[in-house]
């Protein structure tokens, strides 16, 4: 928007100049022009009200064009004239800047705008106090209030003061999505203001920075109002009573705002105002009247949520990109702007309509800016060492008569001051940086988890936390220094599907995963280590395989506490299994729950969520999970959703019926209100390989609707499970013991063999998906007499035993006392490569965390147990360049951490737990094969868990600092957790 030419409503202002912008020559018919060149004429009362009022756009970015040259070059005379012609005294200039590196990004943003205001001091002036607004009006300057539409840059409460000193005066707590403070308006689950959020609000009150909750979710909004000692603002929102849109506010919230003395700014965004056409200025005044009648006209203002020209004149590609960046619930129509509120004369048009409605001058001047001016005066009252800010803002409001030389000096002073403050703030991460650190990771290439470009710098650790992440050398001193030059430094990796509950009880080092940089094992696919009733505990003890262990716990939380007390290197977390709670109530039979039984199942999920479960997980191709109908799953998922958890599923089909299976998962998410993730997305069976495009389209459509649907995967074209996935689920009803007994019945055996040879009808037949018994590799036996068959295909064993492959499979299940671990080769490598690059794809091994020694060598693993994550970074990132390293790291760290709602995990960010993976991108690789799976990956040089080094020079140190990582519903969180 450097030139501002080419469109009619911009051309009508072309004759305006600095000298004539506020001239109001009398014309015929008793009407007046807003300025000399305007073809529009307004009643004298309209012109006088705009001219005589403090007019503040409570949310009006100076431009929607964020190209670098906009900030680097002086503004055109045309653009300057349009600002003067608008009659607007002040703009709250704010955008959403978030993400892992928000601190640095906001620093850069503030510096860019500070420089812009300085270079154009003949038009603009900075604002340090509310008095500066009055001075700007008197001096014919346009005041710029610096704000942010996200508070991700507050790494700690100390940063509130830092950014206040840099000129920020307003901060919106969240944008549309969850952050550490609270929930956004398009989040499906709103757990309210976090404990950290409360402390941020308290610090903002103390410093004098205005709290804004325009984009916050309903509960977060109410919590923020309650937590604030003073008034807050909705700088740009609309009324839910007039339009049911997620960006609007309920009457309850508006009343709470008014009770504290806050002010609500009404936007001019078409889809926020009304769902009906036409949409024009009358609809804006409808909103003003609703708020005025509800809490008083002294508590309402205007926050256009657009620049002078609106959105609809944006460059087409940028306009389309803007619309596509929001969830489907935003319900954009062909136009975003409201008719009559889409050009620089918007405030004149608004006043004209308010006069037509019979509003008093007092009401109009209050709405135009007087009300917000009053709120700012009451809020910006604390001197935090920002007096220099006030001085530069006043210098910028000097009249033209002071001369260009003084204006130049003032602009230089402003830029130098802001640069100095920003440089100091970026060099010092706050009080926690003072004094020696415990660990300095020096000179590495930092991939911070955000997905952004890497940078060389330092990571500084004290105790269990990161206290600084710097671009370039930090200058820190530490007891331990890790030279990371030439290495990638990343957050520790999250294994989204881990089968390590038992392997960690045997060997808490978690060797195969920790040597790949995994610092968090997330367990619980369908079955989990709790809750357990007495019968379940007895069966678990009876069915144990190579690893024997006592069971002293009853609950999921009890297991997690037990394994950590025993000592583990990685952190641990778990879902509660949908099958687990089902068996607690219904046993392993193919039956449906009564209403009373379902209520008890829901209560078990709720209990697990309060113990810290991440959500509820199902595994729907296996008995007994497969017996659950969709309504049962919706009920259980809704309990997880109420506690801020997710629903995650090994879907009912990954083969012939994968499309309806995806539909079911999306339906469960939609009806339960919980986000959903697909475990180990795959297309099983050659006939289904071509369905990936359709699966992706279904997920993308749901995401545009506002559902948070994500996926994870392992990086191999073969899966691994048991021979139970080759047999119909009806024969498995009642559990292993009844399954094995039935397989001894000749009639049943014949029926099972027949069904194994064809597509599963009502069940997922992986034997058929593989296509041939040559593609079933037997890798896990319990019976020592059968271990001779480990590493052989089902076809080979059938030939050795002289029986058909179907009979051999049934005989092995009976003889082994287990389902027999089996790898199935049934996926397409091309699909694996495509999935690796999907932006919403995380990664999970679907395996344990074994060692290349001891009891673990009694059976054979799928190589994914040893190589899943290194294979991603080596084969798919470095060698085949399927995706970038920064994207892969993001989807190994921050993406799953965000999906799980983890607190202070998944990113290299000050204040976060010090879980790190340090590796050589040039050498990291997987070494495990199907023939020789027990081979560790190489290239991971160092790993830290909670600030403790567990891998040094590629070798385990023996340290076991792992902890339980709890979900949002954990009752141990301050405030009792998200379960309400």
């Amino acid at each position: 928007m450097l030139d501002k030419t080419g469109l009619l409503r911009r051309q009508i202002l072309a004759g305006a100049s600095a000298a004539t912008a506020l001239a109001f020559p009398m014309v015929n018919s008793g009407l007046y022009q807003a300025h000399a060149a305007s073809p529009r004429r307004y009643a004298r009362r309209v012109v006088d009200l705009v001219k005589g009022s403090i007019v503040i756009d409570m949310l009006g970015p100076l431009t929607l064009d964020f190209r670098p040259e906009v900030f680097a070059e002086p503004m055109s005379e045309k653009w300057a004239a349009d600002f003067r012609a608008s009659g607007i005294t002040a703009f709250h200039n704010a955008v959403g800047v978030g993400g892992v590196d928000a601190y640095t990004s906001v620093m850069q943003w503030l510096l860019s705008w500070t420089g812009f205001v300085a270079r154009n001091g003949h038009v603009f002036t900075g604002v340090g106090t509310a008095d500066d607004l009055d001075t700007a009006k008197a001096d014919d300057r346009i005041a710029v209030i610096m704000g942010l539409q996200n508070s991700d840059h507050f790494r700690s409460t100390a940063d509130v003061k830092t950014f206040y000193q840099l000129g920020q005066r307003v901060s919106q707590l969240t944008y549309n999505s969850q952050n550490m403070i609270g929930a956004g308006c398009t989040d499906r689950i709103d757990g309210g203001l976090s404990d950290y959020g409360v402390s941020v609000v308290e610090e903002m009150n103390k410093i004098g920075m205005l709290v804004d909750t325009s984009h916050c979710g309903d509960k977060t909004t109410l919590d923020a109002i309650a937590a604030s000692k003073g008034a807050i603002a909705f700088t740009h929102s609309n009324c839910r009573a007039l339009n049911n849109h997620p960006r609007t506010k309920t009457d309850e919230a508006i009343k709470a705002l008014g009770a504290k003395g806050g002010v609500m700014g009404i936007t001019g965004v078409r889809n926020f105002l009304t769902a009906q056409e036409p949409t024009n200025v009358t609809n804006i005044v409808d909103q003003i009247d609703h708020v005025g009648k509800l809490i008083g006209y002294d508590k309402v203002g205007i926050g256009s949520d657009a620049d002078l020209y609106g959105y609809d004149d944006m460059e087409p590609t940028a306009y389309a990109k803007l619309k596509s960046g929001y969830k489907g619930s935003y319900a954009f129509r062909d136009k975003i702007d409201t008719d009559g509120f889409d050009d620089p004369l918007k405030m004149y048009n608004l006043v004209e309509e308010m006069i037509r409605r019979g509003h008093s001058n007092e009401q109009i001047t209050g709405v135009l800016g007087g009300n917000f001016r009053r709120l700012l005066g009451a809020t910006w009252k604390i001197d935090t060492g920002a007096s220099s800010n006030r001085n530069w803002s006043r210098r910028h409001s000097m009249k033209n008569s002071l001369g260009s030389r003084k204006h130049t000096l003032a602009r230089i002073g402003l830029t130098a001051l802001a640069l100095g403050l920003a440089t100091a703030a970026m060099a010092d991460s706050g009080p926690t940086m003072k004094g020696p650190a415990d660990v300095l990771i020096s000179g590495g290439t930092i991939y911070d988890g955000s997905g952004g470009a890497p940078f060389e710098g330092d990571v500084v650790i004290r105790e269990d936390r990161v206290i600084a992440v710097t671009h370039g050398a930090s200058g820190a001193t530490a007891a331990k220094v890790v030279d990371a030059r030439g290495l990638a430094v990343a957050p520790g990796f999250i294994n989204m599907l881990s089968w390590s509950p038992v392997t960690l009880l045997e060997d808490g080092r978690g060797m195969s995963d920790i040597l790949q940089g995994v610092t968090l094992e997330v367990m619980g696919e369908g079955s989990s280590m709790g809750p357990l009733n007495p019968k379940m505990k007895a069966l678990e003890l009876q069915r144990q395989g190579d690893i024997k262990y006592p069971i002293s716990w009853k609950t999921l939380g009890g297991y997690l506490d037990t394994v950590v007390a025993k000592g583990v290197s990685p952190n641990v977390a778990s879902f509660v299994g949908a099958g687990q709670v089902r068996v607690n109530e219904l046993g392993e039979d193919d039956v449906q729950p009564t209403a009373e039984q379902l209520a008890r199942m829901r209560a078990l999920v709720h209990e697990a969520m309060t113990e810290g479960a991440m959500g509820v997980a199902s595994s729907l191709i296996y008995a007994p999970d497969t017996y659950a109908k969709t309504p049962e799953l919706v009920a259980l998922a809704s309990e997880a959703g109420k506690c801020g958890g997710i629903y995650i599923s090994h879907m009912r089909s990954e083969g012939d019926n994968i499309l309806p299976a995806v539909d079911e998962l999306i339906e469960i998410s939609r009806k339960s209100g919980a986000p959903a993730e697909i475990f180990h997305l795959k297309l099983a069976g050659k006939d289904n390989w071509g369905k990936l495009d359709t699966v992706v389209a279904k997920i993308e459509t749901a995401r545009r609707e506002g559902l948070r649907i994500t996926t994870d995967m392992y990086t191999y074209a073969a899966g691994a499970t048991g021979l139970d996935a080759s047999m119909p689920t009806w024969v498995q009803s009642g559990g292993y013991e009844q399954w094995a007994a039935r397989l001894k019945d000749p009639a049943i055996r014949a029926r099972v063999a027949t069904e194994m040879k064809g597509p599963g009808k009502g069940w997922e037949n992986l034997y058929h998906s593989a296509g041939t018994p040559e593609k079933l590799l037997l890798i896990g036996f319990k019976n020592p007499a059968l271990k001779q068959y480990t590493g052989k295909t089902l076809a080979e064993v059938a030939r050795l035993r002289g029986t058909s492959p179907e009979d051999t499979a049934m005989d092995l299940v009976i003889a082994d006392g287990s389902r027999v671990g089996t790898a199935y080769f049934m996926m397409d490598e091309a699909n694996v490569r495509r999935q690796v690059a999907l932006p919403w794809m995380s990664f999970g091994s679907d395996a344990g965390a074994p060692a290349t020694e001891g009891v673990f060598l009694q059976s054979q693993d799928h190589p994914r147990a040893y190589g899943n994550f290194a294979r991603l970074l080596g084969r798919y990132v470095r060698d085949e360049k399927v995706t970038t390293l920064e994207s892969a790291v993001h989807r190994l760290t921050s993406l799953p951490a965000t999906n799980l709602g983890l607190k202070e995990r998944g990113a290299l960010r000050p204040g976060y737990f010090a879980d790190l993976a340090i590796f050589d991108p040039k050498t990291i690789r997987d070494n495990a094969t199907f023939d020789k799976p027990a081979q560790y990956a190489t290239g991971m040089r160092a790993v830290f868990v909670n600030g403790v080094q567990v891998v040094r020079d590629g070798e385990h140190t023996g340290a076991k600092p792992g902890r339980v990582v709890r979900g949002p519903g954990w009752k141990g969180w301050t405030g009792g957790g998200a379960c309400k």
Side-chain angles (χ1 to χ4, degrees), residues 668-920:
I668 291 167
S669 176
R670 183 182 293 113
K671 291 183 175 179
S672 69
E677 178 153 319
I678 298 172
F679 271 138
H680 47 54
L681 179 66
K682 66 175 73 73
L683 286 301
K686 190 171 184 178
D687 292 344
N688 301 305
W689 290 352
K691 297 177 181 177
L692 181 57
D693 284 340
T694 306
V695 169
V696 170
K698 285 180 177 288
I699 294 170
E700 292 283 12
T701 298
R703 288 172 63 85
R704 284 194 296 271
E705 178 188 332
L707 302 177
R708 201 186 75 197
I709 308 298
T710 52
T711 61
D712 57 62
M713 67 178 292
Y714 44 81
T715 53
Y716 295 82
T721 178
L723 288 174
D724 52 341
S726 291
M727 301 182 201
T729 53
W730 59 261
V731 77
Q732 300 173 52
S733 178
Y736 168 79
E737 291 75 18
Q738 294 187 47
W739 172 26
R742 291 189 189 101
L743 292 181
K744 297 175 182 178
D745 183 313
I748 292 176
R749 285 177 69 93
R751 179 182 170 190
V752 170
T754 298
E755 291 195 30
M756 287 176 67
K757 295 174 184 176
K761 295 181 179 179
W763 62 286
E764 183 87 327
N765 187 354
L766 298 193
Y767 180 80
H768 181 265
S769 294
T772 168
E774 297 284 357
K775 292 187 177 180
L776 272 68
L777 186 69
L778 304 176
I779 58 175
F781 290 96
K782 176 180 175 181
N783 185 343
L786 298 178
K787 289 184 180 292
Q788 60 180 309
Y789 298 134
T790 300
K792 291 181 169 59
T793 68
L794 179 61
E796 288 179 287
V797 175
R799 287 192 291 270
L800 288 171
R801 294 172 68 97
T803 55
S804 71
E806 296 78 24
D807 279 324
T808 300
M810 289 184 273
D811 289 341
L812 292 175
V813 167
I814 295 168
D816 196 56
S818 81
R819 65 181 192 148
V820 181
T822 308
Y824 292 80
F825 292 81
M826 55 187 175
M827 285 101 81
D828 179 26
E829 175 62 23
N831 280 346
V832 173
R833 295 178 81 254
R834 286 188 59 198
Q835 289 180 203
V836 161
L838 292 171
W840 25 260
M841 180 69 72
S842 299
F843 300 90
S845 68
D846 198 11
T852 57
E853 59 190 79
V855 68
F856 299 111
L857 299 182
Q858 294 181 22
S859 294
Q860 186 167 312
D861 284 294
H862 189 299
R864 67 192 181 192
Y866 289 88
N868 187 64
F869 306 97
R871 185 179 179 87
L872 169 67
L873 299 175
R875 176 172 181 168
Y876 292 109
V877 173
R878 181 188 61 237
D879 298 342
E880 299 188 9
K881 296 179 174 55
V882 172
T883 187
T884 64
L885 184 54
E886 51 264 41
S887 174
V889 168
H890 167 66
R891 292 179 292 118
L892 285 166
T893 59
S894 292
L895 177 64
T898 299
N899 292 342
L900 294 171
L902 303 186
K903 294 192 176 187
E904 299 167 346
R905 304 271 182 186
L908 291 183
R909 183 173 183 174
Y912 275 42
F913 287 97
D915 300 332
L916 290 92
I918 303 171
F919 59 94
D920 187 343

